Amino acid sequence: MKQKVRFPISFKLALIFSTLVLLVLGASTYMVSTLVRGDERIKAEENNHTINGRTAESVQSLILFVQNDAVGFLNTLQLLVSDERQSAEETLFDDFCVRTREIMFLTGPGFTLHCSSSLTDLHPDAAYTISAWLDSQNMLCKAVAEGVPEIVNISSLFKKPALCILFPYKAAAGWAAVGFSADRLLELLSTGSYNTSFVINRNGDVLINPDYTKTIAGGSLASLPAVQSMKLSSIDNGQSIGSDESGVRSFFAFHRIAGGMYVVTSEAQTVVFEAIDRTTYRIILFSLAVLFLSVLVIRLFSRGITQPIRMLVDASHQIEEGIFTLDIKAKTRDELGLLTVSFVQMGRGLAERERLKIMFSKFTNKTIAERAIRGELELGGTTKTATIFFSDIRSFTAMSEKLQPQEVVAFLNDYMTRMVACVNRTGGVVDKYMGDSIMAVWGTPESAGSPEADAWNSVKTALMMRTALYEFNKNRGSEKNPVIRIGCGINTGSIVAGQIGSADRMEYTVIGDAVNFASRTESLNKLFATDILITENTWKLVKNRIIATEMPSVRVKGKSGPVRIFAVINAANVKGPKTLAELRQLLHVSAPDLTKVDTNEEEKKYSISV
């Protein structure tokens, strides 16, 4: 895998120079921005506090005006005798609404609920809505009667900005309520500047917000740090810094006004420091431009050093990829030039070593070839559990007599290439070729991890050979190119694996009774009319992965009693033959008459129990 240099020489040089530039410019930028930012903060806080004070005064004047007019109207009603009051009350209220256009309704326990015509025109059931709402505020009304006035946002009742002032009025059972439109208050709060003002009550509930929808929705701002700070404050006005509803850091100024309300004005810090941030941004761009120019200068200066090094790095990548013949030349006469010459010579040595390994691996296993090159091979062996495989072409001797020697060699090369590819795909090792026979082993010198995995890879190889042979036979069928049939025998057991021979010439192979048993198992395919036979040892390891049929017990030379042999029909859950009859039909062979088998055949290696 190619790896890039994390800190090249050109980068280090550019970093040193750029750091000095950035330190000077950064220190200057920080000092300027800090001083100016402090001045801007002071100006912003003073301006925000001034706007808040003017807004609070206007809001308080309007609310007191509405409340005082309501008290005056109620006092007028109290002066009338009962007979005059009933007939004149509606006329006086209409006149009151003309003089104070914000009025929506006026009521109290001691007199009738009056609604303005502008309200009833839009909401005919306004009287019922207000009465129901006042009933739900029973506890609040009792608190007001005890001398604590309260202002409540009732915008949600009529879907328009509106407030209700609940104030003590002893002449009317202790309290009275006047509702009025908050449109003028919205105008007062909508300054059109970067400052935003809103009104809340002593509990932090929203009364008026410049955002129309927020006024209608109401809600509470009690959780805002600025609101909590002003509620705890012992003075009627002040300032603080905190986050608004959107999480934006802002300056907050507040004034406490009549009725326990707060008028709050805020201004986002991003707006206050926008000009400073813009100037700082330009300074940063200038610094980056200086940095870019410095990198160009350093790059030109360091190219004479880094270019030969990069050439050597690329050469090392070629060697990692197996390209050992390097087309590089020394361009300098210093240490880098000497290193370049050494690289080329090293590549030539590696190329020769790789060529020997490739040639050697064609005559033995690749793993063994690599061990031999490293000098790790010694005479001797180790005992292992492995799966041994033998395959053989049926009637190869008769077929080869009809072919020229070069035709036999060409046929075997084509056949072996296809079969050995199946062995290699499953991690097997071809131990040796014996004429038309192939001996392979799984579990040594490398294993798939367990005897079960090695046994399954061997059986899978035999099934792959069956498929490969089917493709191989598609273009065959003539006298010169007859259809080929093979037999495969597989056994799992304990073997001795290692280097056998002399110190001058040795061969990696496996020996043992398990090997002989596998060879004899393969030879039974001809008599049983099968193509893949496995012993009981292998069957126990792979029985859950294959479809197999047990054949008649066999007495094999070297075994004291009959042994169990299984014919492999197919892999489990795979399309193909499911029975021995279907397999023989696929192989185009007939079921044998086992009672007529000559037990002396094959050098009496076996006899069949029927």
Side-chain angles (χ1 to χ4, degrees):
M1 182 182 297
K2 291 185 177 180
Q3 296 181 349
K4 294 184 178 180
V5 177
R6 296 182 61 183
F7 303 106
I9 295 175
S10 58
F11 172 77
K12 293 179 180 179
L13 293 175
L15 182 63
I16 294 173
F17 183 76
S18 301
T19 301
L20 294 175
V21 173
L22 292 177
L23 283 176
V24 174
L25 293 176
S28 302
T29 303
Y30 175 77
M31 293 177 63
V32 172
S33 63
T34 300
L35 294 175
V36 176
R37 187 178 292 265
D39 293 339
E40 287 295 323
R41 175 178 175 174
I42 294 173
K43 292 179 182 178
E45 289 179 338
E46 292 176 351
N47 180 63
N48 195 47
H49 190 265
T50 300
I51 294 175
N52 178 254
R54 289 200 302 262
T55 305
E57 183 178 358
S58 300
V59 170
Q60 179 170 256
S61 297
L62 179 58
I63 292 177
L64 290 178
F65 172 76
V66 172
Q67 181 177 344
N68 291 335
D69 272 11
V71 172
F73 173 76
L74 294 176
N75 290 337
T76 301
L77 292 181
Q78 296 297 323
L79 297 175
L80 299 176
V81 296
S82 58
D83 294 338
E84 296 175 344
R85 178 176 177 178
Q86 184 175 3
S87 61
E89 191 169 332
E90 290 293 338
T91 302
L92 290 174
F93 182 75
D94 291 340
D95 180 66
F96 174 56
C97 291
V98 171
R99 288 184 292 103
T100 309
R101 296 183 179 181
E102 289 82 6
I103 296 298
M104 297 173 63
F105 67 87
L106 181 62
T107 186
F111 50 90
T112 306
L113 169 64
H114 294 282
C115 297
S116 67
S117 58
S118 60
L119 177 62
T120 54
D121 289 343
L122 296 176
H123 302 278
D125 59 345
Y128 173 79
T129 302
I130 296 169
S131 297
W133 178 78
L134 287 173
D135 290 340
S136 67
Q137 304 294 320
N138 186 44
M139 296 298 295
L140 181 61
C141 293
K142 290 181 179 180
V144 171
E146 294 177 359
V148 182
E150 189 69 48
I151 300 180
V152 183
N153 185 350
I154 58 171
S155 303
S156 61
L157 297 179
F158 307 108
K159 305 303 179 185
K160 63 168 295 182
L163 298 178
C164 177
I165 304 176
L166 295 164
F167 57 92
Y169 190 68
K170 301 300 182 181
W175 63 272
V178 58
F180 64 98
S181 171
D183 291 335
R184 285 183 60 186
L185 287 177
L186 278 175
E187 293 177 1
L188 292 175
L189 298 180
S190 302
T191 61
S193 64
Y194 294 113
N195 302 79
T196 301
S197 298
F198 56 90
V199 182
I200 60 176
N201 62 16
R202 62 170 54 90
N203 297 322
D205 300 327
V206 175
L207 298 179
I208 300 296
N209 191 302
D211 188 334
Y212 184 90
T213 57
K214 291 182 178 179
T215 299
I216 301 300
S220 175
L221 299 178
S223 61
L224 290 182
V227 174
Q228 295 176 358
S229 175
M230 69 181 68
K231 289 172 65 177
L232 297 174
S233 176
S234 59
I235 58 178
D236 290 337
N237 65 84
Q239 298 187 84
S240 63
I241 299 177
S243 300
D244 63 11
E245 297 175 88
S246 303
V248 178
R249 295 285 294 176
S250 303
F251 297 106
F252 288 91
F254 73 91
H255 272 75
R256 186 184 290 116
I257 61 177
M261 295 182 296
Y262 294 89
V263 177
V264 184
T265 304
S266 66
E267 185 175 13
Q269 288 186 351
T270 53
V271 175
V272 174
F273 300 132
E274 181 179 5
I276 300 175
D277 292 338
R278 186 165 53 248
T279 302
T280 304
Y281 175 73
R282 291 172 180 171
I283 294 176
I284 292 174
L285 289 181
F286 175 74
S287 301
L288 292 176
V290 173
L291 176 62
F292 177 74
L293 292 176
S294 67
V295 170
L296 289 180
V297 173
I298 295 298
R299 183 175 178 83
L300 293 175
F301 174 76
S302 62
R303 181 173 295 180
I305 300 175
T306 59
Q307 190 170 6
I309 295 178
R310 288 177 180 174
M311 180 177 64
L312 292 176
V313 171
D314 292 338
S316 67
H317 291 161
Q318 293 180 1
I319 291 176
E320 290 177 358
E321 295 172 357
I323 303 173
F324 302 112
T325 303
L326 304 177
D327 185 18
I328 57 175
K329 295 181 180 179
K331 297 182 179 181
T332 60
R333 295 185 178 182
D334 52 13
E335 291 83 353
L336 291 175
L338 180 61
L339 181 60
T340 302
V341 174
S342 300
F343 243 78
V344 173
Q345 294 175 350
M346 178 186 68
R348 292 173 182 172
L350 291 174
E352 180 63 21
R353 183 175 181 270
E354 185 67 14
R355 186 183 67 82
L356 292 174
K357 185 177 75 173
I358 294 174
M359 293 299 297
F360 186 35
S361 63
K362 292 182 179 180
F363 296 95
T364 186
N365 175 260
K366 182 179 179 181
T367 303
I368 303 303
E370 292 176 348
R371 291 183 181 180
I373 292 175
R374 294 196 297 266
E376 298 177 356
L377 295 184
E378 296 179 358
L379 286 175
T382 57
T383 300
K384 296 183 177 181
T385 298
T387 298
I388 302 91
F389 167 94
F390 280 89
S391 71
D392 184 66
I393 300 175
R394 302 278 83 93
S395 304
F396 175 73
T397 302
M399 182 187 71
S400 61
E401 290 177 351
K402 301 176 182 180
L403 302 176
Q404 295 297 321
Q406 59 271 25
E407 293 175 332
V408 174
V409 173
F411 161 76
L412 284 177
N413 287 341
D414 189 9
Y415 166 79
M416 294 292 186
T417 298
R418 296 170 184 261
M419 300 300 109
V420 172
C422 299
V423 176
N424 292 335
R425 285 173 59 185
T426 60
V429 175
V430 175
D431 186 277
K432 60 175 64 71
Y433 303 107
M434 296 164 289
D436 60 311
S437 299
I438 300 174
M439 175 184 171
V441 62
W442 283 260
T444 184
E446 295 179 348
S447 173
S450 66
E452 291 83 359
D454 294 329
W456 167 238
N457 283 335
S458 181
V459 174
K460 185 165 58 174
T461 298
L463 292 171
M464 292 167 59
M465 285 183 174
R466 178 189 289 170
T467 302
L469 187 65
Y470 177 81
E471 297 294 329
F472 183 66
N473 282 329
K474 280 186 176 180
N475 298 323
R476 303 182 67 86
S478 63
E479 183 178 2
K480 287 286 188 179
N481 295 296
V483 174
I484 303 303
R485 294 186 179 88
I486 65 172
C488 302
I490 301 173
N491 178 43
T492 303
S494 179
I495 53 91
V496 176
Q499 310 302 320
I500 297 176
S502 66
D504 296 327
R505 187 179 187 279
M506 62 182 70
E507 176 184 9
Y508 184 88
T509 187
V510 294
I511 58 175
D513 180 66
V515 179
N516 299 330
F517 194 8
S519 176
R520 292 187 173 94
T521 301
E522 181 277 319
S523 65
L524 294 174
N525 281 286
K526 181 177 181 181
L527 297 179
F528 282 138
T530 56
D531 64 337
I532 304 173
L533 290 176
I534 62 176
T535 65
E536 182 181 8
N537 296 336
T538 303
W539 175 79
K540 288 180 179 179
L541 298 174
V542 300
K543 60 183 179 180
N544 294 327
R545 296 191 176 192
I546 64 172
I547 301 173
T549 299
E550 185 172 3
M551 307 306 291
S553 298
V554 177
R555 289 188 177 275
V556 178
K557 185 177 180 180
K559 298 294 182 180
S560 59
V563 294
R564 299 175 68 188
I565 301 295
F566 297 82
V568 177
I569 308 302
N570 201 353
N573 302 319
V574 174
K575 183 179 179 181
K578 304 299 182 183
T579 64
L580 183 58
E582 291 178 359
L583 174 61
R584 285 170 174 162
Q585 184 179 1
L586 177 66
L587 299 176
H588 301 289
V589 296
S590 302
D593 185 357
L594 299 180
T595 60
K596 296 181 180 181
V597 172
D598 182 5
T599 56
N600 294 319
E601 195 172 357
E602 294 291 329
E603 299 177 350
K604 296 183 179 180
K605 292 180 181 178
Y606 52 80
S607 62
I608 301 175
S609 301
V610 180

